[in-house]
Amino acid sequence: MTDSARRTHECIFRVRYVDELVRLFPAVDPAVEKAFRAVDRADFVSGFFVRQGARWSWLTAGRPLTAEAAGWIYANRPLVTVIGLNGAPASSSSMPGLMMAMLDALAVEEGMRVLEIGTGTGYNAALLARLAGASGHVVTIETDSELAATAAERLGALGFTTVDVVGGDGADGHLPGAPYDRLVATAGCRVVPGTWWDQLSGGGRALVPLSHGATYPLTELVPEPRRGSWTGRLAGPANFMGATGAGLGGDVPPYEAVRLPAAEAVAEEDLGVEPDRLADLFFFAGLDVPDARAVRLSGGSLGRKLVAGLGLPATEGAALLCGTSLYVGGTAHSAADRLRKAVEHWHSCGRPALGQYRLRLGPPGGPRGDGHSWRFRRGPAEQVVELAEGR
Ligand SMILES: C[S@@+](CC[C@H](N)C(=O)[O-])C[C@H]1O[C@@H](n2cnc3c(N)ncnc32)[C@H](O)[C@@H]1O
């Protein structure tokens, strides 16, 4: 294919890509759609890893793009750009559909000051800069200094003069750019640091993929007057790579791995739950079984299969919810009973959805929730989750 044919192809792919995202989110804010049309994802990805079986191989994305590279970049899928020493993805350009949903929920307006945690490729920072306009300002923090330098260079070369890329730990925020009207984390967090409360303006808000139920549901947080206190709600399901560094709670391994001896049986029970309700069920199960965590089960009668989800490891084995099934491996019978009970409880509560909860996060000792509520520790803070009235 000639260079000019490639360029034409690239343009067609690019237009179709945004059309497809808008088809998925027909109610998206027109300003967010406009930003996606104006900022080219390919400008931020010079290559990425493609999974082939158990191996990752690198695909360079030089301009004009090959049809293969364009097919990956202009699609609603994440692109892994860094593999860590542990062999797991360490940075990516997030799934565009999820980015669109987050930008829509964040409601960035002209002139706003925005703090992003996790610069990665810089693509989302560029979209934020478009939304905040020439009178706005975006500060984006990246812990990987090489990624931060590359993103700064790219954004500068593309003329994004209102973005500052800061190398460092997002848990510290960036005081010189504060106060911020919006804060968005693009890496999964277990803890919401007090610095974010300090650096957000009074009427501001944060959107954080906050670890719960073995995933990272999008959590919208509004600061309350008491330092470090927030109220919140869940804006939708999401999965993210976990942030690194103790300040965001990233000192916990993403999955607890349980490997069964070859002779052990693994039973699979169908939960009888529709796939589009699983995020709701997992969130509830994470409340009802507070010690349940992300577990990966392999070996035994699973053979080469590996299952990962919300589970409880037992002395020999584990029980976990994964997809529409409950897996019980080894001697994890009482763990399986606890997860089954949580599923029954979710049904008896009327199968609540993510949008029906209200959250309070803050220093321990806050008021108890009335009605149906759960309380648990989140780093140094305490979180109360309540099922809203009239569920
Ligand atoms: C999913 S990627 C972000 C995608 C990015 N927003 C984009 O548009 O390409 C998550 C990024 O968060 C970074 N990260 C992880 N922990 C961090 C921390 N504590 N502070 C700042 N960045 C962090 C990772 O290095 C990774 O680049």
Side-chain angles (χ1 to χ4, degrees):
M1 200 189 279
T2 63
D3 274 9
S4 104
R6 274 192 189 178
R7 270 188 215 101
T8 312
H9 241 82
E10 206 176 294
C11 285
I12 296 168
F13 269 105
R14 188 176 159 194
V15 171
R16 282 200 197 139
Y17 155 73
V18 185
D19 289 349
E20 176 60 15
L21 295 179
V22 174
R23 200 183 57 75
L24 292 172
F25 298 101
V28 70
D29 180 341
V32 174
E33 177 184 343
K34 218 168 143 190
F36 269 88
R37 295 210 185 272
V39 180
D40 187 354
R41 191 184 194 198
D43 283 339
F44 295 86
V45 191
S46 55
F48 47 89
F49 288 93
V50 176
R51 191 164 201 147
Q52 287 170 332
R55 295 172 65 89
W56 293 96
S57 63
W58 178 257
L59 188 79
T60 301
R63 306 302 283 274
L65 297 171
T66 60
E68 189 189 9
W72 281 95
I73 291 174
Y74 298 125
N76 187 21
R77 35 185 176 196
L79 298 171
V80 174
T81 49
V82 179
I83 302 282
L85 291 175
N86 61 359
S91 190
S92 66
S93 167
S94 308
M95 196 168 194
L98 179 57
M99 291 170 65
M100 187 176 259
M102 289 177 78
L103 291 171
D104 195 62
L106 202 61
V108 174
E109 291 165 22
E110 284 271 334
M112 281 189 169
R113 304 177 70 82
V114 185
L115 177 63
E116 181 194 40
I117 312 301
T119 312
T121 62
Y123 180 38
N124 195 55
L127 292 164
L128 288 167
R130 277 301 289 207
L131 289 164
S135 56
H137 190 75
V138 176
V139 174
T140 176
I141 309 181
E142 172 57 56
T143 190
D144 177 326
S145 54
E146 234 176 271
L147 287 180
T150 307
E153 202 180 299
R154 263 184 202 140
L155 287 158
L158 292 164
F160 287 95
T161 52
T162 58
V163 183
D164 280 334
V165 182
V166 176
D169 186 349
D172 299 332
H174 185 65
L175 196 54
Y180 300 99
D181 304 296
R182 296 287 185 267
L183 182 153
V184 60
T186 64
C189 305
R190 288 173 192 275
V191 170
V192 178
T195 43
W196 291 0
W197 187 95
D198 295 336
Q199 294 179 20
L200 211 59
S201 68
R205 70 174 121 109
L207 186 64
V208 182
L210 197 53
S211 141
H212 184 93
T215 63
Y216 290 97
L218 296 178
T219 309
E220 219 173 74
L221 295 168
V222 175
E224 292 292 300
R226 187 176 176 208
R227 183 181 185 269
S229 291
W230 309 81
T231 50
R233 61 171 206 100
L234 296 160
N239 219 344
F240 267 92
M241 53 183 61
T244 54
L248 300 181
D251 46 352
V252 178
Y255 278 99
E256 207 165 305
V258 177
R259 188 164 176 83
L260 294 169
E264 288 288 353
V266 179
E268 180 181 353
E269 297 168 24
D270 184 10
L271 293 171
V273 176
E274 307 85 327
D276 65 346
R277 297 305 312 277
L278 288 174
D280 301 327
L281 169 64
F282 274 44
F283 188 84
F284 187 93
L287 292 169
D288 238 26
V289 186
D291 48 336
R293 49 204 182 268
V295 172
R296 191 157 52 197
L297 182 66
S298 61
S301 60
L302 285 173
R304 293 170 69 88
K305 192 171 153 184
L306 185 148
V307 289
L310 178 66
L312 289 166
T315 319
E316 278 171 43
L320 67 138
L321 303 171
C322 168
T324 54
S325 301
L326 168 67
Y327 290 85
V328 189
T331 57
H333 303 295
S334 63
D337 280 344
R338 292 181 64 206
L339 293 171
R340 266 188 220 104
K341 278 201 183 99
V343 177
E344 283 161 22
H345 191 194
W346 179 66
H347 281 283
S348 69
C349 283
R351 306 188 350 139
L354 290 181
Q356 287 175 258
Y357 299 93
R358 292 294 168 264
L359 317 178
R360 266 185 285 118
L361 188 63
R368 281 206 89 79
D370 2 288
H372 222 130
S373 72
W374 296 259
R375 175 184 289 253
F376 50 93
R377 287 307 288 257
R378 190 166 282 289
E382 184 177 71
Q383 184 170 329
V384 178
V385 179
E386 280 179 272
L387 254 181
E389 282 295 313
R391 61 179 192 273

